[in-house]
Amino acid sequence: MKTVIVLGCDGYIGHALTLRLLEKGYEVYGIDDFQRRKNVAEMKSFSATAIQTPEERHKIFQKIGRFHFLKIHLAEIYLGQMLGFLKGTDPIAIVNLAQMPSAPFSMKSCQHTIQSTNNNIDATLNVLYWMKEFAPDAQLVQIGTMGEYDPAAGTDIPEGTFDLEWNGKIAKNVIFPRRPGSFYHASKVASTYLIDCASRWWNISATDIMQGVVYGNWTPEIEKYNCHTRLDSDESFGTVINRFVVQAIIQHPLTVFGEGEQKRGYLALNDSVQCLMLAIENPPKKGEYRTWNQLDTVYAVNELAKIVQAVFGNHNWPVDIKKIPTPRAERTDNFHYVPYTEKLKELGFKPSRNITDEIEYLYKVLFSQNLSDLWDVAVPKITWK
Ligand SMILES: NC(=O)c1ccc[n+]([C@@H]2O[C@H](COP(=O)([O-])OP(=O)(O)OC[C@H]3O[C@@H](n4cnc5c(N)ncnc54)[C@H](O)[C@@H]3O)[C@@H](O)[C@H]2O)c1
């Protein structure tokens, strides 16, 4: 039986990935400190899907397969507890999802910036040191973010590296320039460079995934075991499509930032899990550091709002769209945004979920929930200024 370690197994993506791995017969060692649950509560918000407690989730996991769990803060300890828990395991992959994933949360105050960047950088370092000593032949699968790049840079965005031509000379396989859009994104850029260093110095194999924005809540395992992953809608932890769907349910206008023409890449939760499985099951060569862009389709925010409005309109559920000033430092007009996504296709990635189907699914799941208290967190208050 193959073993995979999932760091951040209680999170939005980690929960869905853990279910998939167990269902496919992997033994899973999960670690989490539940900071996502705590941080969402700090935002005075809650998951729109009804989620189980960690203990209830673990019982479900253990009915499906071999699951072991440890609660620790990966950025604070140095190896000690992690060592004992993972002693004797021979993982094929360590999937590191244990990061604070919110741009606004990282911009809330000096304390939040330091908490977020320490968390993300120190956890990555702990994992790399642990791998160097105890799992040198395993693969690190790390999710970075498409937000490491400047979306409005004006050029196409290659997958991770490119050949830099300057002053008549060419440097091969240079990390493509980053220009993060928040301190959170800056911590992800730092992780990219840390992993690149560990790969060059310690021969660690790694897949560093520049992921687009994930939406939805469906995977076959979530449906089979009636075990939803979380779905947040507050300004910090709600990604835009999930936020729009919850706003539509509570009949709050969909809050489009600025002109609404800013483009990003999106993919459904089931496809994020599909891509992670492709990484786990198709490891890089020993010591190789590879990176790919993980997204399905590029949309402007205005398009997303109109799609959500149309799906709800089919249920005779009127939804307004309201433009509000963007709280971020970002361009919201129409700009060139063409990220390359060839590498996943070469490994066989085929999008499994259509955006309207996923919104329809969320409508059905959320319609009977009492979500009116989420009205208070619908409008952003954190600004970059
Ligand atoms: N969701 C998206 O749209 C999206 C987009 C691009 C990139 N990503 C990246 O994907 C990864 C997973 O994102 P997510 O949306 O599932 O986030 P999430 O917050 O739901 O999951 C992260 C999990 O890790 C745990 N965690 C965080 N820091 C930890 C630490 N120091 N020690 C132990 N546990 C810790 C959290 O409690 C949480 O359960 C993150 O690296 C994020 O930056 C997410």
Side-chain angles (χ1 to χ4, degrees):
M1 184 181 271
K2 289 180 181 161
T3 299
V4 174
I5 297 169
V6 180
L7 309 173
C9 64
D10 192 54
Y12 175 54
I13 300 167
H15 173 73
L17 176 68
T18 302
L19 281 169
R20 174 74 45 90
L21 285 164
L22 291 168
E23 183 75 356
K24 286 195 121 203
Y26 289 88
E27 180 167 19
V28 177
Y29 284 73
I31 290 180
D32 207 295
D33 69 346
F34 309 127
Q35 62 175 265
R36 170 65 175 247
R37 291 178 187 246
K38 193 167 128 279
N39 292 343
V40 171
E42 182 188 318
M43 296 304 300
K44 302 199 175 356
S45 189
F46 56 90
S47 170
T49 47
I51 55 170
Q52 284 103 343
T53 62
E55 295 72 25
E56 289 164 341
R57 280 183 165 180
H58 298 166
K59 274 193 197 138
I60 295 170
F61 291 165
Q62 278 154 357
K63 277 193 190 140
I64 306 171
R66 296 186 65 169
F67 176 76
H68 318 265
F69 179 76
L70 178 70
K71 179 184 176 212
I72 49 167
H73 184 2
L74 279 162
E76 277 179 1
I77 56 112
Y78 172 65
L79 299 179
Q81 289 160 289
M82 192 170 154
L83 253 186
F85 176 60
L86 298 176
K87 196 171 176 197
T89 57
D90 184 17
I92 57 160
I94 291 105
V95 186
N96 184 18
L97 309 174
Q99 308 256 283
M100 196 302 296
S102 161
F105 195 77
S106 77
M107 303 298 291
K108 205 170 166 214
S109 69
C110 179
Q111 184 227 315
H112 288 85
T113 300
I114 290 171
Q115 176 188 325
S116 307
T117 52
N118 281 358
N119 187 68
N120 294 357
I121 294 170
D122 295 355
T124 302
L125 283 171
N126 268 331
V127 172
L128 289 170
Y129 265 93
W130 181 81
M131 287 185 69
K132 170 180 180 261
E133 296 295 328
F134 302 103
D137 294 327
Q139 173 196 185
L140 174 67
V141 179
Q142 173 107 0
I143 302 195
T145 160
M146 285 301 294
E148 292 189 22
Y149 305 116
D150 180 355
T155 63
D156 295 359
I157 300 177
E159 299 196 81
T161 57
F162 75 130
D163 293 344
L164 170 67
E165 188 177 346
W166 189 73
N167 225 4
K169 303 271 190 309
I170 295 179
K172 291 262 178 209
N173 291 325
V174 176
I175 292 183
F176 191 72
R178 265 54 176 172
R179 198 174 199 206
S182 72
F183 288 128
Y184 151 68
H185 290 106
S187 75
K188 304 294 276 186
V189 173
S191 297
T192 284
Y193 281 96
L194 296 174
I195 297 166
D196 176 60
C197 290
S199 171
R200 285 185 287 118
W201 302 335
W202 302 338
N203 219 18
I204 282 179
S205 320
T207 305
D208 190 10
I209 296 165
M210 300 303 123
Q211 183 174 252
V213 186
V214 183
Y215 63 91
N217 215 271
W218 183 88
T219 70
E221 298 82 17
I222 284 176
E223 189 161 273
K224 180 172 173 189
Y225 297 104
N226 190 20
C227 188
H228 278 286
T229 194
R230 57 180 317 114
L231 190 114
D232 292 302
S233 63
D234 63 278
E235 62 174 305
S236 284
F237 295 99
T239 49
V240 59
I241 300 176
N242 295 349
R243 251 168 87 69
F244 280 173
V245 169
V246 172
Q247 288 177 337
I249 293 272
I250 61 175
Q251 294 201 295
H252 190 287
L254 311 187
T255 50
V256 168
F257 294 175
E259 294 174 50
E261 288 303 315
Q262 62 274 52
K263 296 190 206 84
R264 300 286 187 275
Y266 295 84
L267 80 168
L269 176 68
N270 192 50
D271 290 328
S272 173
V273 174
Q274 182 195 162
C275 294
L276 289 170
M277 293 302 297
L278 282 171
I280 293 165
E281 291 175 345
N282 299 277
K285 292 194 287 286
K286 175 76 185 142
E288 184 188 353
Y289 166 70
R290 68 179 175 182
T291 178
W292 61 50
N293 296 340
Q294 180 163 299
L295 54 104
D296 167 10
T297 312
V298 170
Y299 295 101
V301 173
N302 283 331
E303 291 177 88
L304 297 175
K306 283 184 189 142
I307 295 169
V308 172
Q309 188 181 47
V311 174
F312 277 72
N314 292 339
H315 293 277
N316 295 322
W317 193 259
V319 173
D320 289 335
I321 298 173
K322 187 177 175 195
K323 291 192 173 158
I324 61 170
T326 181
R328 303 180 176 221
E330 63 171 346
R331 270 182 63 180
T332 65
D333 59 332
N334 190 354
F335 51 75
H336 179 86
Y337 186 68
V338 181
Y340 295 169
T341 53
E342 296 312 311
K343 294 188 183 175
L344 274 163
K345 287 179 202 145
E346 284 162 16
L347 288 175
F349 172 68
K350 287 202 178 59
S352 66
R353 295 290 281 175
N354 168 311
I355 186 168
T356 51
D357 293 345
E358 191 70 33
I359 295 170
E360 184 71 39
Y361 173 75
L362 288 179
Y363 170 82
K364 288 201 188 97
V365 169
L366 300 181
F367 192 68
S368 54
Q369 304 280 95
N370 180 1
L371 302 178
S372 53
D373 284 352
L374 291 173
W375 182 276
D376 294 340
V377 297
V379 175
K381 299 177 189 71
I382 301 167
T383 74
W384 267 231
K385 297 278 181 297

